[in-house]
mmCIF file of all heavy atoms in Angstrom:
data_model
loop_
_atom_site.group_PDB
_atom_site.id
_atom_site.type_symbol
_atom_site.label_atom_id
_atom_site.label_comp_id
_atom_site.label_asym_id
_atom_site.label_seq_id
_atom_site.Cartn_x
_atom_site.Cartn_y
_atom_site.Cartn_z
ATOM 1 N N SER A 147 14.378 -22.601 -26.106
ATOM 2 C CA SER A 147 14.607 -23.491 -24.967
ATOM 3 C C SER A 147 16.086 -23.698 -24.677
ATOM 4 O O SER A 147 16.466 -24.032 -23.562
ATOM 5 C CB SER A 147 13.956 -24.857 -25.238
ATOM 6 O OG SER A 147 14.540 -25.466 -26.387
ATOM 7 N N ASP A 148 16.946 -23.478 -25.695
ATOM 8 C CA ASP A 148 18.378 -23.724 -25.546
ATOM 9 C C ASP A 148 19.106 -22.389 -25.418
ATOM 10 O O ASP A 148 19.168 -21.608 -26.368
ATOM 11 C CB ASP A 148 18.903 -24.485 -26.768
ATOM 12 C CG ASP A 148 20.366 -24.899 -26.615
ATOM 13 O OD1 ASP A 148 21.040 -24.407 -25.685
ATOM 14 O OD2 ASP A 148 20.834 -25.696 -27.441
ATOM 15 N N MET A 149 19.675 -22.111 -24.254
ATOM 16 C CA MET A 149 20.309 -20.820 -24.029
ATOM 17 C C MET A 149 21.579 -20.632 -24.848
ATOM 18 O O MET A 149 22.071 -19.513 -24.992
ATOM 19 C CB MET A 149 20.634 -20.645 -22.537
ATOM 20 C CG MET A 149 21.646 -21.633 -21.987
ATOM 21 S SD MET A 149 21.992 -21.367 -20.236
ATOM 22 C CE MET A 149 22.742 -19.741 -20.266
ATOM 23 N N LEU A 150 22.120 -21.697 -25.434
ATOM 24 C CA LEU A 150 23.376 -21.606 -26.172
ATOM 25 C C LEU A 150 23.175 -21.263 -27.647
ATOM 26 O O LEU A 150 24.153 -21.023 -28.358
ATOM 27 C CB LEU A 150 24.155 -22.921 -26.044
ATOM 28 C CG LEU A 150 24.568 -23.319 -24.623
ATOM 29 C CD1 LEU A 150 25.292 -24.664 -24.642
ATOM 30 C CD2 LEU A 150 25.440 -22.251 -23.991
ATOM 31 N N HIS A 151 21.934 -21.258 -28.127
ATOM 32 C CA HIS A 151 21.683 -21.011 -29.539
ATOM 33 C C HIS A 151 20.646 -19.900 -29.715
ATOM 34 O O HIS A 151 19.882 -19.596 -28.803
ATOM 35 C CB HIS A 151 21.196 -22.285 -30.238
ATOM 36 C CG HIS A 151 22.198 -23.388 -30.232
ATOM 37 N ND1 HIS A 151 22.280 -24.302 -29.201
ATOM 38 C CD2 HIS A 151 23.181 -23.722 -31.112
ATOM 39 C CE1 HIS A 151 23.267 -25.163 -29.453
ATOM 40 N NE2 HIS A 151 23.821 -24.832 -30.606
ATOM 41 N N THR A 152 20.631 -19.315 -30.912
ATOM 42 C CA THR A 152 19.664 -18.275 -31.232
ATOM 43 C C THR A 152 18.563 -18.835 -32.121
ATOM 44 O O THR A 152 18.670 -19.945 -32.641
ATOM 45 C CB THR A 152 20.354 -17.102 -31.959
ATOM 46 O OG1 THR A 152 20.983 -17.598 -33.149
ATOM 47 C CG2 THR A 152 21.387 -16.437 -31.070
ATOM 48 N N ILE A 153 17.510 -18.044 -32.288
ATOM 49 C CA ILE A 153 16.430 -18.407 -33.206
ATOM 50 C C ILE A 153 16.232 -17.266 -34.209
ATOM 51 O O ILE A 153 16.590 -16.117 -33.942
ATOM 52 C CB ILE A 153 15.105 -18.692 -32.465
ATOM 53 C CG1 ILE A 153 14.665 -17.472 -31.645
ATOM 54 C CG2 ILE A 153 15.226 -19.921 -31.592
ATOM 55 C CD1 ILE A 153 13.298 -17.626 -31.010
ATOM 56 N N ASP A 154 15.689 -17.604 -35.364
ATOM 57 C CA ASP A 154 15.422 -16.621 -36.406
ATOM 58 C C ASP A 154 13.919 -16.432 -36.556
ATOM 59 O O ASP A 154 13.158 -17.419 -36.541
ATOM 60 C CB ASP A 154 16.019 -17.081 -37.739
ATOM 61 C CG ASP A 154 17.539 -17.109 -37.693
ATOM 62 O OD1 ASP A 154 18.147 -16.068 -37.977
ATOM 63 O OD2 ASP A 154 18.107 -18.176 -37.371
ATOM 64 N N PHE A 155 13.504 -15.193 -36.721
ATOM 65 C CA PHE A 155 12.082 -14.911 -36.908
ATOM 66 C C PHE A 155 11.922 -13.627 -37.715
ATOM 67 O O PHE A 155 12.834 -12.790 -37.797
ATOM 68 C CB PHE A 155 11.359 -14.780 -35.562
ATOM 69 C CG PHE A 155 11.917 -13.722 -34.665
ATOM 70 C CD1 PHE A 155 11.467 -12.410 -34.716
ATOM 71 C CD2 PHE A 155 12.923 -14.033 -33.749
ATOM 72 C CE1 PHE A 155 11.992 -11.434 -33.892
ATOM 73 C CE2 PHE A 155 13.459 -13.061 -32.916
ATOM 74 C CZ PHE A 155 12.993 -11.754 -32.987
ATOM 75 N N SER A 156 10.740 -13.474 -38.308
ATOM 76 C CA SER A 156 10.418 -12.283 -39.093
ATOM 77 C C SER A 156 9.175 -11.632 -38.515
ATOM 78 O O SER A 156 8.280 -12.309 -38.010
ATOM 79 C CB SER A 156 10.171 -12.651 -40.558
ATOM 80 O OG SER A 156 11.319 -13.258 -41.129
ATOM 81 N N VAL A 157 9.138 -10.304 -38.607
ATOM 82 C CA VAL A 157 7.996 -9.530 -38.114
ATOM 83 C C VAL A 157 7.290 -8.882 -39.309
ATOM 84 O O VAL A 157 7.933 -8.192 -40.114
ATOM 85 C CB VAL A 157 8.440 -8.441 -37.123
ATOM 86 C CG1 VAL A 157 7.232 -7.646 -36.622
ATOM 87 C CG2 VAL A 157 9.201 -9.057 -35.947
ATOM 88 N N PHE A 158 5.991 -9.103 -39.419
ATOM 89 C CA PHE A 158 5.180 -8.504 -40.469
ATOM 90 C C PHE A 158 4.144 -7.580 -39.843
ATOM 91 O O PHE A 158 3.581 -7.893 -38.787
ATOM 92 C CB PHE A 158 4.461 -9.587 -41.278
ATOM 93 C CG PHE A 158 5.370 -10.508 -42.037
ATOM 94 C CD1 PHE A 158 5.986 -11.592 -41.415
ATOM 95 C CD2 PHE A 158 5.618 -10.294 -43.393
ATOM 96 C CE1 PHE A 158 6.827 -12.438 -42.121
ATOM 97 C CE2 PHE A 158 6.454 -11.143 -44.104
ATOM 98 C CZ PHE A 158 7.067 -12.220 -43.470
ATOM 99 N N CYS A 159 3.893 -6.452 -40.501
ATOM 100 C CA CYS A 159 2.846 -5.523 -40.082
ATOM 101 C C CYS A 159 1.842 -5.392 -41.215
ATOM 102 O O CYS A 159 2.212 -4.956 -42.320
ATOM 103 C CB CYS A 159 3.447 -4.159 -39.734
ATOM 104 S SG CYS A 159 2.220 -2.907 -39.302
ATOM 105 N N ASP A 160 0.620 -5.806 -40.964
ATOM 106 C CA ASP A 160 -0.426 -5.804 -42.002
ATOM 107 C C ASP A 160 0.055 -6.513 -43.267
ATOM 108 O O ASP A 160 -0.200 -6.074 -44.395
ATOM 109 C CB ASP A 160 -0.864 -4.374 -42.319
ATOM 110 C CG ASP A 160 -1.609 -3.722 -41.157
ATOM 111 O OD1 ASP A 160 -2.116 -4.463 -40.292
ATOM 112 O OD2 ASP A 160 -1.675 -2.483 -41.112
ATOM 113 N N GLY A 161 0.790 -7.606 -43.071
ATOM 114 C CA GLY A 161 1.247 -8.421 -44.184
ATOM 115 C C GLY A 161 2.537 -7.969 -44.836
ATOM 116 O O GLY A 161 3.053 -8.647 -45.732
ATOM 117 N N ILE A 162 3.113 -6.846 -44.391
ATOM 118 C CA ILE A 162 4.349 -6.322 -44.974
ATOM 119 C C ILE A 162 5.519 -6.637 -44.051
ATOM 120 O O ILE A 162 5.467 -6.351 -42.846
ATOM 121 C CB ILE A 162 4.261 -4.794 -45.189
ATOM 122 C CG1 ILE A 162 3.071 -4.443 -46.083
ATOM 123 C CG2 ILE A 162 5.561 -4.261 -45.778
ATOM 124 C CD1 ILE A 162 3.142 -5.048 -47.461
ATOM 125 N N LEU A 163 6.580 -7.215 -44.587
ATOM 126 C CA LEU A 163 7.766 -7.528 -43.788
ATOM 127 C C LEU A 163 8.422 -6.234 -43.305
ATOM 128 O O LEU A 163 8.722 -5.338 -44.099
ATOM 129 C CB LEU A 163 8.774 -8.335 -44.625
ATOM 130 C CG LEU A 163 10.114 -8.655 -43.951
ATOM 131 C CD1 LEU A 163 9.903 -9.618 -42.788
ATOM 132 C CD2 LEU A 163 11.074 -9.270 -44.969
ATOM 133 N N VAL A 164 8.614 -6.121 -41.996
ATOM 134 C CA VAL A 164 9.270 -4.929 -41.445
ATOM 135 C C VAL A 164 10.584 -5.256 -40.743
ATOM 136 O O VAL A 164 11.390 -4.362 -40.489
ATOM 137 C CB VAL A 164 8.341 -4.183 -40.457
ATOM 138 C CG1 VAL A 164 7.122 -3.643 -41.171
ATOM 139 C CG2 VAL A 164 7.923 -5.092 -39.297
ATOM 140 N N ASN A 165 10.825 -6.524 -40.449
ATOM 141 C CA ASN A 165 12.040 -6.856 -39.700
ATOM 142 C C ASN A 165 12.327 -8.349 -39.759
ATOM 143 O O ASN A 165 11.417 -9.168 -39.658
ATOM 144 C CB ASN A 165 11.870 -6.434 -38.235
ATOM 145 C CG ASN A 165 13.180 -6.344 -37.482
ATOM 146 O OD1 ASN A 165 14.246 -6.618 -38.030
ATOM 147 N ND2 ASN A 165 13.115 -5.946 -36.230
ATOM 148 N N ARG A 166 13.582 -8.675 -39.971
ATOM 149 C CA ARG A 166 14.069 -10.036 -39.766
ATOM 150 C C ARG A 166 15.084 -9.982 -38.644
ATOM 151 O O ARG A 166 15.915 -9.073 -38.608
ATOM 152 C CB ARG A 166 14.723 -10.598 -41.034
ATOM 153 C CG ARG A 166 13.750 -11.020 -42.109
ATOM 154 C CD ARG A 166 14.445 -11.902 -43.158
ATOM 155 N NE ARG A 166 13.512 -12.356 -44.174
ATOM 156 C CZ ARG A 166 13.303 -11.751 -45.332
ATOM 157 N NH1 ARG A 166 13.986 -10.639 -45.624
ATOM 158 N NH2 ARG A 166 12.449 -12.216 -46.205
ATOM 159 N N SER A 167 15.001 -10.926 -37.737
ATOM 160 C CA SER A 167 15.862 -10.834 -36.567
ATOM 161 C C SER A 167 16.356 -12.200 -36.137
ATOM 162 O O SER A 167 15.729 -13.228 -36.404
ATOM 163 C CB SER A 167 15.103 -10.167 -35.409
ATOM 164 O OG SER A 167 15.968 -9.830 -34.352
ATOM 165 N N ARG A 168 17.491 -12.180 -35.448
ATOM 166 C CA ARG A 168 18.060 -13.385 -34.836
ATOM 167 C C ARG A 168 18.417 -13.042 -33.402
ATOM 168 O O ARG A 168 18.992 -11.991 -33.125
ATOM 169 C CB ARG A 168 19.298 -13.845 -35.595
ATOM 170 C CG ARG A 168 20.054 -14.997 -34.920
ATOM 171 C CD ARG A 168 21.230 -15.454 -35.750
ATOM 172 N NE ARG A 168 20.770 -16.044 -37.004
ATOM 173 C CZ ARG A 168 21.592 -16.398 -37.992
ATOM 174 N NH1 ARG A 168 22.900 -16.192 -37.882
ATOM 175 N NH2 ARG A 168 21.103 -16.932 -39.099
ATOM 176 N N GLY A 169 18.042 -13.910 -32.493
ATOM 177 C CA GLY A 169 18.332 -13.635 -31.090
ATOM 178 C C GLY A 169 17.698 -14.670 -30.187
ATOM 179 O O GLY A 169 17.444 -15.806 -30.604
ATOM 180 N N ASP A 170 17.411 -14.258 -28.950
ATOM 181 C CA ASP A 170 16.839 -15.178 -27.971
ATOM 182 C C ASP A 170 15.321 -15.245 -28.046
ATOM 183 O O ASP A 170 14.703 -16.084 -27.392
ATOM 184 C CB ASP A 170 17.247 -14.766 -26.556
ATOM 185 C CG ASP A 170 18.706 -15.075 -26.263
ATOM 186 O OD1 ASP A 170 19.376 -15.679 -27.118
ATOM 187 O OD2 ASP A 170 19.183 -14.707 -25.172
ATOM 188 N N GLY A 171 14.712 -14.337 -28.824
ATOM 189 C CA GLY A 171 13.262 -14.346 -28.935
ATOM 190 C C GLY A 171 12.730 -12.954 -29.158
ATOM 191 O O GLY A 171 13.464 -12.039 -29.543
ATOM 192 N N VAL A 172 11.434 -12.766 -28.873
ATOM 193 C CA VAL A 172 10.799 -11.466 -29.096
ATOM 194 C C VAL A 172 9.636 -11.299 -28.121
ATOM 195 O O VAL A 172 8.961 -12.262 -27.766
ATOM 196 C CB VAL A 172 10.317 -11.324 -30.564
ATOM 197 C CG1 VAL A 172 9.261 -12.363 -30.893
ATOM 198 C CG2 VAL A 172 9.807 -9.916 -30.845
ATOM 199 N N ILE A 173 9.432 -10.051 -27.690
ATOM 200 C CA ILE A 173 8.332 -9.697 -26.792
ATOM 201 C C ILE A 173 7.391 -8.760 -27.540
ATOM 202 O O ILE A 173 7.832 -7.777 -28.134
ATOM 203 C CB ILE A 173 8.844 -8.981 -25.533
ATOM 204 C CG1 ILE A 173 9.912 -9.816 -24.822
ATOM 205 C CG2 ILE A 173 7.694 -8.654 -24.578
ATOM 206 C CD1 ILE A 173 10.798 -9.007 -23.891
ATOM 207 N N VAL A 174 6.117 -9.051 -27.506
ATOM 208 C CA VAL A 174 5.107 -8.149 -28.061
ATOM 209 C C VAL A 174 4.250 -7.702 -26.882
ATOM 210 O O VAL A 174 3.545 -8.516 -26.273
ATOM 211 C CB VAL A 174 4.246 -8.833 -29.135
ATOM 212 C CG1 VAL A 174 3.235 -7.845 -29.708
ATOM 213 C CG2 VAL A 174 5.125 -9.390 -30.253
ATOM 214 N N ALA A 175 4.345 -6.403 -26.548
ATOM 215 C CA ALA A 175 3.745 -5.916 -25.313
ATOM 216 C C ALA A 175 2.722 -4.822 -25.542
ATOM 217 O O ALA A 175 2.791 -4.060 -26.516
ATOM 218 C CB ALA A 175 4.844 -5.384 -24.379
#
Side-chain angles (χ1 to χ4, degrees):
S147 62
D148 186 348
M149 64 180 296
L150 298 178
H151 297 88
T152 58
I153 58 174
D154 293 272
F155 58 89
S156 300
V157 180
F158 296 82
C159 176
D160 292 340
I162 303 299
L163 176 67
V164 296
N165 197 359
R166 284 195 178 94
S167 191
R168 173 177 294 172
D170 287 356
V172 62
I173 305 160
V174 181

